[in-house]
Amino acid sequence: MKIDPTNSADLSAQIAGAIRDAIVAGQLIVDERLPSEAELADQFNVSRPTVREALKRLAAQALIRTQRGATGGAFVNRLSFEEAYPQQITTSTLLLSMNEVSFETACEARYALERACAPLAAQRRSADQLATMRAEIHRQSQPGLTDEAFCASDVAFHRALVDAAHNPVLSYQLAGAVEAMQPLMNMITFTARSRDAIVTLHTAIANAIEAHDGHKVNDTLIALERETQALAQSVFAARAARTP
Amino acid sequence: MKIDPTNSADLSAQIAGAIRDAIVAGQLIVDERLPSEAELADQFNVSRPTVREALKRLAAQALIRTQRGATGGAFVNRLSFEEAYPQQITTSTLLLSMNEVSFETACEARYALERACAPLAAQRRSADQLATMRAEIHRQSQPGLTDEAFCASDVAFHRALVDAAHNPVLSYQLAGAVEAMQPLMNMITFTARSRDAIVTLHTAIANAIEAHDGHKVNDTLIALERETQALAQSVFAARAARTP
DNA sequence: GACAATTAAATGTAAGACAAATGAAAATTG
DNA sequence: CAATTTTCATTTGTCTTACATTTAATTGTC
């Protein structure tokens, strides 16, 4: 593992990159201990703070974990889906908010992805996920729910739908798309009527999931997307009309 | 922006978290300059190296960028899709390799996601993406191509398909799924016959994309997944038989 | 006014020290 | 001898200080 002395980038970035490459390439395996900070400093011919900055970069990506004490050190971390979720969600959220992604574009992507797991979810759903979906529908029906709580429940409903596919890779990829939509959804005010429409469609989805009817889930998701897009358009149009 | 003195976690992690939260919450906007390292050290009542470790954590996630010199400092970075791609791909790759995700599961997720953008891609594809797909098909047909190069071309073909949907959110989410499959695909040896089958299906996809026929794209993707899964199974079965 | 040298401010890097945690070995005790 | 306590070495976490490097603004000079 070497670094390029002619490279102009930060030493800590170069070192982090070298170690990251070694991990990705499988030269460093899970739970393997890296040399101590002092040893790494010697190997790379840099100071300990520089090594530490490199290790912190890797820790921020959950590629390593550190442990103090006699047998401590930096260990290659088994990157779990659970650990990767928050990162994925933070990144997705910032991507949407910082790149002026339109509600329309984000919504389209979200529902396209959800439809991707509709047939699998209908086929494999467990009683557990179905119960979650029913529970969230029940919560959404309660009067006096704030818009924010309604959105949170909406996210929970759709995550249950995604998880019903029983494919961790799909769940991981979609967590970002679904959760990152929440701030955008929070910009919308839900009238009693629009909530009714959404709850009705959610119920139809749950019923179709229960009946293992993938096609029906798919069709209802299309209707739900149309409903959501129309609702957003009307809210944004009203807002634009008020402040010309 | 404060940190909890009773928290047992690393100071640098706490500081990084506090700044990250401020960015996500919109309290720090894009291109805004953070206080200098010395000032941050004062504010949080820690030393400069500790602040630096925190900033490196954020830099590793592309949340900030740093600049040297008189008007330098740490600035909130506009997280672009281009910057987020490599991270997403690295994370996805490690998730698959470290969690014993079966080829079957990963493959299923990948094709489910691709089918999600099939109708959009068929509808919106530009001449550019179609040309890329044709070019990759041509490359895949050449004899003497290594398995690795064949896989790389396969990835390029599918990325073009995804990008044809002209939805950056979809492209971002799928980049991880498609690229992360490459190491798994590289475990497969492609016979001349299996390459022919894949090229034929790729050609059918390109034709359907050209004809704006989303249904045909979808159906062909299903066939391609079946072909890929069968090929993988036979390769793995043969390998298992050789080393009992 | 244009150009060059200086300066100030900021990050990048180094070196050394101490604190705190932690497991292992050694010493102590029943 | 076994169990417990103490000591100790190792390693990360943090602080302090210092210097190098980069960069833009300032100043000085012609």
Side-chain angles (χ1 to χ4, degrees):
Chain A
M1 220 156 38
K2 288 281 162 56
I3 56 177
D4 177 9
T6 68
N7 192 324
S8 67
D10 292 1
L11 288 175
S12 67
Q14 290 182 57
I15 294 169
I19 298 176
R20 177 170 34 245
D21 289 347
I23 293 175
V24 174
Q27 292 161 23
L28 293 170
I29 59 174
V30 167
D31 291 335
E32 184 172 340
R33 185 181 174 281
L34 298 181
S36 74
E37 294 174 355
E39 285 174 304
L40 285 173
D42 267 358
Q43 283 182 29
F44 287 112
N45 227 328
V46 298
S47 68
R48 215 188 118 202
T50 301
V51 167
R52 281 183 61 80
E53 287 178 8
L55 294 180
K56 294 312 161 198
R57 293 179 114 110
L58 299 174
Q61 299 174 289
L63 296 186
I64 62 168
R65 61 178 186 278
T66 57
Q67 205 175 357
R68 288 169 76 162
T71 59
F75 299 84
V76 177
N77 196 30
R78 172 179 304 273
L79 186 59
S80 67
F81 285 96
E82 284 72 26
E83 276 176 316
Y85 275 132
Q87 277 219 4
Q88 163 83 345
I89 290 167
T90 302
T91 304
S92 298
T93 304
L94 285 174
L95 276 172
L96 293 193
S97 69
M98 286 181 169
N99 289 281
E100 293 167 5
V101 173
S102 68
F103 184 91
E104 198 183 340
T105 302
C107 194
E108 174 182 285
R110 176 194 155 164
Y111 279 102
L113 293 172
E114 274 197 48
R115 285 197 297 272
C117 46
L120 294 171
Q123 184 187 329
R124 301 179 189 163
R125 61 95 180 145
S126 66
D128 197 27
Q129 280 114 21
L130 189 59
T132 302
M133 295 171 74
R134 297 281 189 206
E136 296 299 340
I137 290 174
H138 182 254
R139 180 172 304 160
Q140 289 156 21
S141 316
Q142 304 223 318
L145 205 67
T146 65
D147 279 346
E148 208 165 284
F150 185 81
C151 282
S153 174
D154 184 69
V155 167
F157 174 87
H158 286 282
R159 284 206 58 164
L161 171 62
V162 167
D163 288 339
H166 283 97
N167 184 314
V169 182
L170 267 179
S171 291
Y172 166 72
Q173 299 285 354
L174 269 77
V178 173
E179 300 252 359
M181 275 295 288
Q182 193 158 6
L184 288 174
M185 291 293 281
N186 275 331
M187 296 171 63
I188 294 180
T189 50
F190 294 92
T191 62
R193 178 182 302 190
S194 61
R195 286 197 191 187
D196 272 352
I198 291 173
V199 166
T200 302
L201 287 167
H202 281 180
T203 306
I205 290 174
N207 290 343
I209 287 282
E210 183 163 18
H212 300 290
D213 186 347
H215 277 295
K216 185 71 190 296
V217 175
N218 200 69
D219 291 345
T220 315
L221 279 172
I222 290 175
L224 185 55
E225 179 182 354
R226 198 156 21 217
E227 174 74 25
T228 308
Q229 296 273 22
L231 177 59
Q233 263 187 344
S234 72
V235 169
F236 291 142
R239 204 164 296 171
R242 220 176 316 138
T243 58
Chain B
M1 219 158 38
K2 288 282 161 56
I3 56 177
D4 177 9
T6 68
N7 193 324
S8 65
D10 292 354
L11 288 175
S12 66
Q14 289 182 58
I15 294 170
I19 298 176
R20 174 167 40 242
D21 289 346
I23 293 175
V24 173
Q27 292 161 24
L28 293 170
I29 60 174
V30 167
D31 291 336
E32 185 173 340
R33 184 181 174 280
L34 298 180
S36 73
E37 295 174 353
E39 285 173 305
L40 285 172
D42 267 357
Q43 282 182 30
F44 288 112
N45 226 331
V46 298
S47 68
R48 220 188 110 202
T50 302
V51 167
R52 282 182 62 80
E53 286 178 10
L55 294 180
K56 295 311 166 198
R57 294 177 115 111
L58 299 175
Q61 298 174 291
L63 296 188
I64 62 169
R65 61 178 187 279
T66 56
Q67 206 175 354
R68 290 171 74 162
T71 60
F75 298 85
V76 178
N77 196 29
R78 159 164 274 122
L79 187 59
S80 66
F81 285 97
E82 285 72 26
E83 276 175 315
Y85 275 131
Q87 277 218 8
Q88 163 83 346
I89 291 167
T90 302
T91 304
S92 298
T93 304
L94 285 174
L95 276 172
L96 293 192
S97 69
M98 286 181 169
N99 289 281
E100 292 168 4
V101 173
S102 68
F103 184 92
E104 197 183 341
T105 302
C107 193
E108 174 182 284
R110 175 193 157 165
Y111 279 102
L113 294 172
E114 274 196 49
R115 285 196 297 272
C117 45
L120 294 171
Q123 186 188 327
R124 301 182 188 161
R125 60 95 180 142
S126 65
D128 197 27
Q129 280 114 22
L130 189 60
T132 302
M133 295 171 74
R134 298 279 189 209
E136 296 299 338
I137 290 175
H138 182 255
R139 180 172 304 158
Q140 290 157 21
S141 317
Q142 305 223 317
L145 204 66
T146 64
D147 279 346
E148 207 164 285
F150 185 80
C151 282
S153 173
D154 183 70
V155 167
F157 174 85
H158 286 281
R159 284 206 58 164
L161 172 62
V162 167
D163 288 338
H166 282 97
N167 184 314
V169 182
L170 268 179
S171 290
Y172 166 71
Q173 299 284 356
L174 268 77
V178 172
E179 300 254 358
M181 276 294 289
Q182 193 159 4
L184 287 175
M185 292 293 282
N186 274 333
M187 296 171 64
I188 295 180
T189 49
F190 294 92
T191 62
R193 177 182 303 192
S194 60
R195 285 196 191 188
D196 273 352
I198 290 172
V199 167
T200 301
L201 288 167
H202 281 180
T203 306
I205 289 174
N207 291 341
I209 286 283
E210 183 164 18
H212 300 290
D213 186 347
H215 276 295
K216 185 72 192 297
V217 175
N218 199 70
D219 291 346
T220 315
L221 279 172
I222 291 175
L224 185 55
E225 179 182 354
R226 200 159 17 219
E227 174 73 26
T228 308
Q229 295 272 22
L231 176 60
Q233 263 187 344
S234 73
V235 170
F236 292 142
R239 205 164 296 172
R242 220 176 314 139
T243 58

